[in-house]
Amino acid sequence: MVSNQEAMSSEMTLDFYRKALNFNVIGRYDPKIKQLLFHTPHASVYKWDFEKDEWIRLDFQGVLAVYLRDISDGADLPCIEEPAVEKDFSTIGTKTVTENANEVLQGRDIYNYGLIILNRMNPENFSLGIAANSVINKRKFFSGAEEAKQPLECMKVEVKDDLVIIKNLRHEVFGIWIHTVPDRNNVYELIKYLLDNEPKTTFT
Amino acid sequence: MSLPLRRPLENVASLDRALEDLIVRFIINCPAEDFSSVERELFHVEEASWFYTDFIKLMNPNLPNMKIKSFAQHVIKLCPLIWKWDDRAEQALQKFSQYKKSIPVRGAAIFNKSFSKILLVKGTESDSWSFPRGKISKDENDVDCCIREVLEEINFDLTDYIDEEQFIERNIQGKNYKIFLVSGVPQDFDFKPRVRNEIEKIEWREFKKITRNGSGNGKPNARYYLVNSMIRPLTLWVKSKKQVENEDQLKSQVEEQLKVLLGIKKEDAVDPGRE
């Protein structure tokens, strides 16, 4: 019994440590992380090619996490210039990382949530900014100048053929394959919840 | 639409920071089943160490060079929670390399159209030349493994070239090798490795020269790994293939000549518009 308890507590310690380390490391990529909402061990990303009518596999595979962001300071998103080294890496594979990755968000930071895949293929991570649909609709009416610079649409999410399909803010379509089967639905439910409800500043 | 992410790996503050990133990417978030044996966990540690050499060390030249052994020790020291076994990392790694030896390897002997040349690769950590090849993954069949490994090592897709019946199989030091025989690959294709730091060179070699070097004096030639032990079946296969091709050529020549003799014209179809 004692050993069982010990095993349980060491499992809990590991879990606690895992969450803390995940938070810290994601925070080095996106310093606005406030709370981890969900993570699943392994995911890979496909992008829908509208011209060819098929999924293209992108060079992103790894841990997927969805997190809450602190945007209370109302600041703009930082501009991050393209790194010189990136070109180096992208020529190695057949597909270049840059041409397949999605556009970077600019302007006012209104993105309450983030999705990230910590990539095992190369240092470049996959990221999606997530804003509740109500936020996007409000932006259309009240922030004309912002909207003109980078027009955004409401995001959509569904589960189909083993993929969690996400239409991003520009209506590009990504299919996310998740290794842990029940997590496909969990990710779907979570993102759907985030989109359909007013943005939250905390989850308890 | 991606959030503008920072790039902390381009300028890491310390080795520990880099390792934490790798632990998150490769090790600590693995599904529970991957922590069920030392071997399975070490696979992830090994993958992380490749990422370290391939990317992080390249971007941060001041970081130390680390082979798998010292890398594993550092990782375990930094994050002892992930190591639940009594074994020390060194012993575990020894077992791991033992374990890897028992995993079957699949590859391809790739010839050009005329069977005069064979495509060989040289690994970064080895002085000898051999076929593009690699270890089979979980639940993967031989042909898929061969196609995947060849694609990774030389960026050429063998899907339309491979014949699952044509192969040479050998067991060397307890390890099973199955090398598929492939021909007609374009010589001018721009071969290059997809995976960094694994393949150093890719070259077409004169097949005749290799056969001479390999079996001439009975001594095995250290410069050709695996190829040596397969020289004889390879030569036989090339011979039989050439024969079939010659026979086919002969047949079509005879057909041509017969047609000429019998007065059968090549263009039998009459242009209907001009009739």
Side-chain angles (χ1 to χ4, degrees):
Chain A
M1 270 285 116
V2 175
S3 67
N4 231 349
Q5 264 174 7
E6 260 173 29
M8 278 242 302
S9 89
S10 92
E11 193 49 51
M12 278 166 62
T13 324
L14 179 64
D15 200 50
F16 183 75
Y17 183 74
R18 177 186 292 133
K19 281 183 183 139
L21 202 56
N22 283 346
F23 183 91
N24 285 346
V25 168
I26 294 172
R28 292 176 202 158
Y29 293 93
D30 184 354
K32 292 208 166 166
I33 183 171
K34 190 178 178 191
Q35 190 183 351
L36 263 181
L37 303 179
F38 174 86
H39 71 95
T40 185
H42 191 77
S44 47
V45 186
Y46 297 78
K47 186 178 185 179
W48 183 257
D49 185 328
F50 283 98
E51 275 170 29
K52 290 187 193 144
D53 255 11
E54 61 181 24
W55 289 111
I56 303 171
R57 192 193 183 115
L58 303 187
D59 284 338
F60 299 103
Q61 269 181 47
V63 194
L64 178 149
V66 179
Y67 56 96
L68 177 70
R69 302 177 73 241
D70 180 7
I71 51 166
S72 55
D73 63 357
D76 282 358
L77 286 163
C79 276
I80 289 182
E81 76 287 3
E82 292 286 297
V85 272
E86 192 188 353
K87 289 191 184 69
D88 256 34
F89 296 129
S90 52
T91 51
I92 295 303
T94 43
K95 283 169 274 169
T96 60
V97 179
T98 31
E99 94 186 28
N100 285 322
N102 52 8
E103 203 182 325
V104 178
L105 289 161
Q106 320 158 353
R108 180 65 37 86
D109 192 347
I110 52 163
Y111 310 96
N112 299 82
Y113 316 102
L115 178 153
I116 192 168
I117 292 178
L118 295 162
N119 199 1
R120 296 190 179 124
M121 320 264 291
N122 64 60
E124 203 74 11
N125 294 327
F126 180 79
S127 151
L128 281 177
I130 300 175
N133 290 340
S134 62
V135 170
I136 297 299
N137 287 329
K138 266 183 219 152
R139 180 181 183 267
K140 274 201 203 329
F141 287 108
F142 302 117
S143 317
E146 282 273 320
E147 178 70 16
K149 257 193 270 169
Q150 197 173 46
L152 300 178
E153 302 285 333
C154 289
M155 286 175 70
K156 280 183 187 152
V157 63
E158 57 180 304
V159 193
K160 212 168 149 190
D161 305 333
D162 300 344
L163 288 177
V164 179
I165 299 171
I166 302 178
K167 223 177 222 181
N168 76 2
L169 296 160
R170 296 282 257 197
H171 277 196
E172 293 172 302
V173 175
F174 293 93
I176 300 182
W177 183 85
I178 292 167
H179 169 87
T180 317
V181 180
D183 276 349
R184 292 174 193 165
N185 224 41
N186 293 339
V187 174
Y188 162 76
E189 296 281 353
L190 173 62
I191 295 178
K192 183 138 182 54
Y193 178 86
L194 300 180
L195 294 179
D196 290 349
N197 289 277
E198 283 297 316
K200 299 203 168 197
T201 48
T202 181
F203 284 78
T204 43
Chain B
M1 297 291 284
S2 119
L3 291 161
L5 299 180
R6 295 186 180 179
R7 305 171 187 281
L9 289 182
E10 273 168 32
N11 216 329
V12 289
S14 65
L15 177 60
D16 282 3
R17 281 234 169 175
L19 293 181
E20 276 174 13
D21 194 294
L22 291 172
I23 290 170
V24 164
R25 276 184 204 240
F26 289 93
I27 303 162
I28 206 166
N29 285 296
C30 287
E33 73 237 35
D34 286 4
F35 287 106
S36 61
S37 75
V38 182
E39 285 82 8
R40 290 186 74 165
E41 187 174 329
L42 281 175
F43 262 116
H44 296 286
V45 176
E46 190 183 40
E47 233 192 301
S49 87
W50 289 336
F51 193 99
Y52 177 82
T53 346
D54 290 359
F55 299 112
I56 301 183
K57 166 75 184 132
L58 268 184
M59 293 188 277
N60 301 275
N62 49 336
L63 287 180
N65 277 317
M66 280 193 286
K67 290 245 159 96
I68 174 80
K69 196 166 128 189
S70 57
F71 182 85
Q73 281 162 344
H74 266 97
V75 165
I76 295 167
K77 204 170 130 201
L78 185 67
C79 184
L81 282 175
I82 57 163
W83 198 253
K84 57 179 187 188
W85 290 281
D86 296 332
D87 291 16
R88 292 180 47 209
E90 269 167 72
Q91 295 163 321
L93 281 164
Q94 241 164 31
K95 272 194 216 161
F96 181 56
S97 67
Q98 213 57 38
Y99 171 77
K100 283 209 299 186
K101 268 191 190 151
S102 63
I103 300 173
V105 168
R106 303 304 175 234
I110 298 171
F111 286 88
N112 60 354
K113 261 204 175 91
S114 63
F115 296 95
S116 60
K117 286 180 178 167
I118 182 166
L119 193 76
L120 298 179
V121 300
K122 192 182 97 61
T124 34
E125 284 180 25
S126 147
D127 285 322
S128 58
W129 292 81
S130 188
F131 313 111
R133 69 197 186 282
K135 289 173 200 73
I136 216 159
S137 298
K138 199 171 159 268
D139 302 329
E140 188 179 42
N141 73 39
D142 293 347
V143 172
D144 288 348
C145 169
C146 175
I147 291 171
R148 176 181 56 79
E149 286 288 348
V150 168
L151 198 62
E152 280 176 18
E153 295 193 349
I154 66 172
N155 200 20
F156 187 84
D157 189 349
L158 281 183
T159 309
D160 299 332
Y161 293 80
I162 208 162
D163 176 352
E164 60 175 316
E165 313 279 19
Q166 308 252 8
F167 61 84
I168 301 171
E169 202 169 358
R170 282 276 182 285
N171 280 313
I172 299 167
Q173 290 173 345
K175 198 171 182 172
N176 176 273
Y177 295 87
K178 193 174 191 178
I179 302 295
F180 290 92
L181 303 164
V182 171
S183 63
V185 171
Q187 226 168 292
D188 54 1
F189 185 84
D190 181 25
F191 300 100
K192 57 180 174 227
R194 274 195 182 189
V195 185
R196 298 161 66 87
N197 279 358
E198 209 183 314
I199 297 299
E200 192 190 309
K201 286 178 192 161
I202 305 170
E203 275 174 26
W204 285 105
R205 290 291 174 101
E206 292 284 343
F207 185 57
K208 265 191 189 144
K209 266 192 190 164
I210 294 176
T211 19
R212 228 179 289 141
N213 289 346
S215 56
N217 45 13
K219 265 191 275 173
N221 188 332
R223 284 171 52 223
Y224 296 110
Y225 177 64
L226 216 56
V227 186
N228 276 320
S229 52
M230 295 186 181
I231 283 289
R232 280 193 60 86
L234 276 177
T235 323
L236 287 174
W237 182 75
V238 165
K239 234 184 214 167
S240 73
K241 279 296 236 186
K242 271 186 176 166
Q243 216 161 20
V244 171
E245 217 156 76
N246 284 342
E247 274 169 15
D248 283 349
Q249 242 172 21
L250 213 63
K251 268 186 209 156
S252 69
Q253 272 172 16
V254 171
E255 200 179 305
E256 281 298 303
Q257 282 168 354
L258 264 176
K259 276 182 183 171
V260 172
L261 278 175
L262 296 174
I264 302 171
K265 277 188 192 148
K266 263 186 191 165
E267 304 86 29
D268 261 344
V270 190
D271 188 350
R274 295 205 187 148
E275 220 175 25

